[in-house]
Amino acid sequence: MGNFSFLGNRYWILRHGKSIPNEKGLIVSSLENGTLPEFQLAAEGVNQARSAGESFLKELKENNIPLENVQICYSPFSRTRHTAEVVTSVLNLPFEGPQCKVMEELRERFFGPSFELQSHDKYAEIWDHDEKDPFMQPEEGGESVADVVSRLAIAVETMEKEFQGCVVLVVSHGDPLQILQTILHATNQQKGPAVEDFMSRLEAVKVPSILSQHRKYALLTGELRRITAQVVASVLNLPFEGPQCKVIEELREHYYGPSFELQSHDEVSIFNLHQIRLIWAVDEKDPFMKPEEGGDSVADVVSRLATAVETMEKEFQGCVVLVVSHGDPLQILQTVLHAMNEIKDLKERISCLDFQRLKVPSILPQHRRKFALLTGELRPII
């Protein structure tokens, strides 16, 4: 689970499930209206919250994180409170217990009195305004992006002071969560003294060119997301265009074929699940067969990964190499490297460096089941 070097906790964010205002297409952004019980989750939103809770629990188990190290902080609005209640029930934590905390600073962004209880269509007007000037309020009485940043900074500072070494799930709203991601990623990329505190770092990135871009971090209702460092080179303080960073085309994604291209894997539908399962079924039956004409088989990916490994071995000696690639190529790479490592005879192992002897049906179909990675997951190859 990734984290930022200047923060003591690891953070996950969850936008509330689909709410009754979402269903009605209404903007409900004032604290007075937002806390009314009639504006809690819709039935679909309850299911989304439950699914997010199950995904979060799975992540905790896979990363060996005990439940006692989890803290849940949520906005006081009915829809976020309801979401947090559903998640805690999945985690089997008491909602009124010490691991759950309501924080007013995580409330929805108040857009202004003339936007309140109006159509969702007006969001476009607000976000257009944000791009032009994130320091200006949408209207008198509403909150600018910069206003939201100020209270989110207080929220982060509070969580950092109250919790140490915890996994914190922040349950909030669309605009606050995308603004939170914007400032954390910008702060993480900022170069400066390591001892500089969070508030000092934040002030340096609280500028229009950064805050105006918050929409690129938008979340769907009920979407769970881990906040991780986006730019690895910036964390290591290495020049991205320098000699220690190299683009290798052979590390590109597994191309499945033209009929799979631009099909969604985010929306759970019978068609999409069928498409995904079709690829994996072909892999397991015959890793030398392409999912369809024009696509890459597992064996095709092995061939180009062999070229990538050969290139890295020739160009770097005795180095630690971080390979940044995609799900299928990385799990296929692990499959062949682990299989190679299990060959006891050193001469025979060296002869397999071209991967050709490992391109057999008994080895390659294991790539999905044994070596899959989560998005953002870092793993040593040993």
Side-chain angles (χ1 to χ4, degrees):
M1 299 171 84
N3 65 314
F4 290 90
S5 58
F6 55 89
L7 297 176
N9 300 302
R10 289 174 285 181
Y11 290 88
W12 285 72
I13 55 174
L14 173 60
R15 185 184 173 193
H16 61 80
K18 190 171 187 178
S19 65
I20 293 171
N22 289 142
E23 280 196 337
K24 292 182 175 180
L26 294 178
I27 294 175
V28 176
S29 66
S30 74
L31 189 61
E32 181 183 7
N33 288 325
T35 52
L36 294 175
E38 57 260 41
F39 292 136
Q40 59 181 355
L41 295 184
E44 183 182 346
V46 173
N47 291 333
Q48 289 178 338
R50 187 177 296 111
S51 178
E54 290 167 352
S55 297
F56 186 52
L57 181 59
K58 181 183 177 185
E59 293 280 356
L60 294 173
K61 288 179 178 178
E62 289 179 350
N63 288 278
N64 297 314
I65 301 209
L67 283 173
E68 52 265 32
N69 283 8
V70 174
Q71 297 288 336
I72 299 175
C73 298
Y74 61 94
S75 152
F77 276 47
S78 296
R79 54 190 185 263
T80 39
R81 180 185 177 90
H82 195 179
T83 300
E85 285 179 327
V86 173
V87 171
T88 53
S89 69
V90 173
L91 300 181
N92 199 25
L93 293 175
F95 182 66
E96 301 296 338
Q99 288 177 264
C100 294
K101 179 182 177 69
V102 61
M103 299 184 71
E104 191 172 321
E105 292 83 5
L106 297 176
R107 68 187 182 273
E108 175 64 292
R109 175 185 177 186
F110 180 54
F111 300 107
S114 78
F115 291 101
E116 190 68 5
L117 300 180
Q118 299 301 306
S119 168
H120 275 184
D121 295 340
K122 287 187 170 286
Y123 279 135
E125 179 183 333
I126 295 164
W127 295 329
D128 182 61
H129 178 91
D130 290 348
E131 286 194 12
K132 292 174 182 173
D133 188 352
F135 283 79
M136 185 176 289
Q137 298 168 339
E139 66 175 13
E140 186 67 32
E143 288 185 295
S144 68
V145 176
D147 292 332
V148 178
V149 168
S150 296
R151 59 175 168 88
L152 288 175
I154 294 171
V156 171
E157 192 173 39
T158 300
M159 291 184 284
E160 284 292 292
K161 284 180 179 177
E162 293 191 12
F163 317 131
Q164 287 82 42
C166 292
V167 170
V168 183
L169 176 64
V170 176
V171 184
S172 186
H173 309 262
D175 269 38
L177 289 178
Q178 60 204 32
I179 294 168
L180 177 63
Q181 292 173 87
T182 302
I183 59 173
L184 287 179
H185 284 297
T187 302
N188 188 65
Q189 292 175 32
Q190 180 197 5
K191 294 178 173 61
V195 295
E196 206 171 37
D197 63 31
F198 171 67
M199 298 300 274
S200 300
R201 281 171 167 264
L202 179 62
E203 286 305 313
V205 301
K206 199 174 172 182
V207 294
S209 61
I210 291 174
L211 301 190
S212 62
Q213 301 302 306
H214 69 89
R215 278 295 292 161
K216 72 180 182 179
Y217 293 108
L219 297 100
L220 302 171
T221 55
E223 183 176 349
L224 176 73
R225 186 178 294 175
R226 175 177 48 183
I227 298 184
T228 57
Q230 279 197 314
V231 183
V232 174
S234 71
V235 175
L236 300 178
N237 200 24
L238 295 174
F240 183 65
E241 301 295 338
Q244 290 175 271
C245 293
K246 178 181 179 70
V247 61
I248 298 180
E249 190 176 328
E250 291 82 6
L251 296 175
R252 66 187 181 273
E253 176 64 292
H254 181 174
Y255 179 56
Y256 304 109
S259 78
F260 293 102
E261 190 70 3
L262 298 181
Q263 297 299 320
S264 172
H265 56 73
D266 294 324
E267 297 175 12
V268 179
S269 69
I270 293 174
F271 172 76
N272 293 322
L273 283 176
H274 173 71
Q275 292 286 75
I276 292 167
R277 286 171 181 157
L278 177 62
I279 296 168
W280 296 339
V282 169
D283 289 351
E284 292 203 0
K285 287 178 182 174
D286 186 352
F288 286 79
M289 183 181 291
K290 303 175 190 294
E292 67 174 15
E293 187 64 34
D296 289 336
S297 68
V298 175
D300 292 333
V301 178
V302 170
S303 296
R304 59 177 167 86
L305 288 175
T307 303
V309 171
E310 190 175 35
T311 298
M312 292 184 284
E313 285 294 295
K314 284 181 179 177
E315 294 193 12
F316 318 129
Q317 287 82 42
C319 293
V320 173
V321 181
L322 176 62
V323 177
V324 183
S325 187
H326 310 265
D328 267 31
L330 289 177
Q331 59 206 29
I332 293 168
L333 178 63
Q334 291 173 88
T335 301
V336 292
L337 288 178
H338 279 282
M340 185 186 301
N341 193 57
E342 288 173 6
I343 298 172
K344 292 184 169 51
D345 184 83
L346 182 60
K347 288 184 179 179
E348 186 180 358
R349 187 187 303 173
I350 292 171
S351 74
C352 287
L353 278 175
D354 62 1
F355 291 6
Q356 296 308 311
R357 290 185 58 190
L358 299 173
K359 285 170 65 174
V360 296
S362 61
I363 291 175
L364 299 188
Q366 301 175 38
H367 74 92
R368 181 73 202 170
R369 293 194 301 273
K370 291 180 65 175
F371 297 108
L373 295 100
L374 303 170
T375 53
E377 183 177 348
L378 178 71
R379 184 181 295 176
I381 296 182
I382 53 175

